[in-house]
Amino acid sequence: MAAPLKVCIVGSGNWGSAIARIIGDNVKSMQRFASTVKMWVFEETVNGRKLTDIINTEHENVKYLPGYKLPDNVVAVPQLSEAAEGADLLVFVVPHQFIHKLCDEMVGCVSAKARGISLIKGIDVGPEGLKLISDIIREKMEIDVSVLMGANIANEVAAEKFCETTIGTRIVENGLLFKDLLQTPNFRITVVEDADTVELCGALKNIVAVGAGFCDGLKCGDNTKAAVIRLGLMEMIAFTKLFSNHAASVSTATFLESCGVADLITTCYGGRNRRVAEAFVRTGKSIEELEKEMLNGQKLQGPATSAEVYQILKHKKLVDKFPLFAAVYQICYEEKPVQEMISCLQRHPEHL
């Protein structure tokens, strides 16, 4: 019989801790996975104590997921190379800005047959243009990487409220393996062979959510917000078809999975990007100030992703084709008035 597969969770924020609850419980009852799960934790001091010590003694991430116990077989490790040592399955769940550095630290630590899954919602811009986070991991670590994206607000997943999610994969067998590791009766997974589309949905919907938050701050009402969501979805589809590395295999049906329209809706009503964008309008404070004030150390993905997308569109002279994406960037970073959100809807190519 094959040795049980060792699991390492790379990241321990709000979403990382919620997913650790699922993985820790699941591996206890499945012989194909090792019973101890290592979770890399960026070491911080909380109330005078190391966060790893608190997690390992009280089995709770009191900073990022307070009120929810972690299974006692999830072990917090402050050294990334130690956490990843010999790992067969790597679950990446960190802010996308840190992925280059973290992959560099893990090279040579993991099993030769290691496989990964990315829960990271963001993109990178390289010299050649768009770079998917999963591609960065694939290239740096020379492993196959699936992606998991869906309408999954972390605290609701931790509370075991029913939700769906999507695994996108290039190798079906690996997508199904991660489905075994992660699925529960209340966390239902669909596997699709359209990994790039699944991943781009996860990144791009955060830009739309910022636009939805601007509308909430302006008290525009539900009709306007619905227009932002619909036009935002159209831009997500158009962008994916233009810039995916596997553009020929992009399926519009993938946008009807949880990673697409469902994640877009929940993020535009319930996510942190929407919340901070609304506060941006109402308080007049900068995005950076609000991130520090409102997110307890968590990172905001929407504004940063809008900057990366804008850079790509500008380079390709396509800014005019994506007025909603462009407006979000310009309001966040170029001091355009927030009313530009409404102007961009009025002149959207969909309405011409």
Side-chain angles (χ1 to χ4, degrees):
M1 187 175 151
L5 300 167
K6 293 180 186 170
V7 182
C8 169
I9 303 170
V10 182
S12 57
N14 186 232
W15 188 207
S17 298
I19 217 73
R21 277 170 56 83
I22 289 175
I23 293 172
D25 281 338
N26 278 356
V27 300
K28 288 179 180 177
S29 59
M30 286 190 263
Q31 289 184 331
R32 67 190 302 197
F33 304 113
S35 57
T36 298
V37 174
K38 288 185 180 175
M39 177 171 74
W40 173 65
V41 174
F42 177 76
E43 191 68 279
E44 299 176 67
T45 303
V46 180
N47 301 327
R49 294 175 64 193
K50 288 181 177 178
L51 185 55
T52 50
D53 290 345
I54 296 170
I55 291 171
N56 288 333
T57 54
E58 292 164 30
H59 306 294
E60 184 182 341
N61 188 334
V62 293
K63 179 162 186 183
Y64 295 110
L65 194 69
Y68 295 99
K69 289 292 181 187
L70 296 170
D72 55 13
N73 59 329
V74 173
V75 179
V77 181
Q79 284 298 118
L80 179 56
S81 55
E82 185 188 331
E85 185 65 45
D88 300 294
L89 302 177
L90 295 155
V91 179
F92 293 89
V93 54
V94 290
H96 77 279
Q97 300 93 316
F98 305 132
I99 198 64
H100 285 275
K101 179 176 175 289
L102 296 177
C103 285
D104 288 341
E105 283 183 43
M106 279 187 288
V107 169
C109 295
V110 303
S111 150
K113 296 176 185 168
R115 287 159 278 191
I117 190 164
S118 171
L119 281 62
I120 300 170
K121 296 181 173 178
I123 56 170
D124 195 60
V125 180
E128 303 86 40
L130 175 72
K131 194 92 172 163
L132 296 175
I133 302 303
S134 62
D135 282 335
I136 294 167
I137 301 168
R138 276 186 200 100
E139 288 169 19
K140 284 185 172 281
M141 302 198 63
E142 298 181 349
I143 62 174
D144 180 61
V145 184
S146 302
V147 296
L148 181 145
M149 307 282 155
N152 309 140
I153 290 175
N155 285 54
E156 294 182 16
V157 174
E160 298 178 32
K161 294 180 178 178
F162 179 85
C163 68
E164 300 175 311
T165 199
T166 312
I167 288 178
T169 190
R170 294 181 184 175
I171 300 173
V172 175
E173 173 195 347
N174 291 347
L176 294 172
L177 174 64
F178 281 109
K179 178 177 177 174
D180 277 355
L181 178 68
L182 293 161
Q183 184 162 263
T184 74
N186 283 324
F187 191 66
R188 305 304 293 169
I189 297 173
T190 303
V191 178
V192 298
E193 285 185 86
D194 191 5
D196 289 7
T197 303
V198 172
E199 185 166 2
L200 280 166
C201 281
L204 298 172
K205 55 92 193 181
N206 283 328
I207 305 176
V208 186
V210 174
F214 290 155
C215 286
D216 288 344
L218 292 167
K219 295 193 166 80
C220 292
D222 287 336
N223 295 340
T224 308
K225 193 160 162 180
V228 168
I229 293 170
R230 190 189 77 81
L231 295 167
L233 179 61
M234 300 307 290
E235 290 193 16
M236 286 168 60
I237 294 169
F239 187 93
T240 302
K241 288 186 171 175
L242 276 171
F243 294 105
S244 167
N245 295 332
H246 300 83
S249 63
V250 170
S251 168
T252 308
T254 305
F255 292 92
L256 298 177
E257 297 288 351
S258 182
C259 62
V261 68
D263 196 9
L264 180 61
I265 291 166
T266 199
T267 309
C268 287
Y269 279 90
R272 69 184 83 150
N273 289 281
R274 186 217 65 79
R275 243 182 335 125
V276 172
E278 180 181 14
F280 174 85
V281 180
R282 295 196 172 166
T283 65
K285 293 179 180 177
S286 72
I287 293 286
E288 291 78 9
E289 284 177 275
L290 292 165
E291 184 180 61
K292 286 194 183 85
E293 277 178 31
M294 296 175 68
L295 297 184
N296 190 32
Q298 292 173 266
K299 291 291 178 194
L300 206 60
Q301 299 294 313
T305 304
S306 79
E308 287 149 352
V309 163
Y310 190 80
Q311 196 178 323
I312 292 165
L313 294 175
K314 198 171 175 188
H315 179 67
K316 297 286 186 183
K317 298 183 171 56
L318 288 169
V319 170
D320 292 348
K321 302 276 187 207
F322 294 86
L324 192 148
F325 287 175
V328 168
Y329 165 76
Q330 289 161 344
I331 294 164
C332 288
Y333 294 105
E334 295 188 344
E335 297 183 3
K336 276 266 179 99
V338 76
Q339 284 73 17
E340 176 63 20
M341 200 63 236
I342 309 309
S343 308
C344 92
L345 301 177
Q346 292 166 339
R347 65 170 189 273
H348 201 283
E350 280 276 304
H351 290 152
L352 300 180

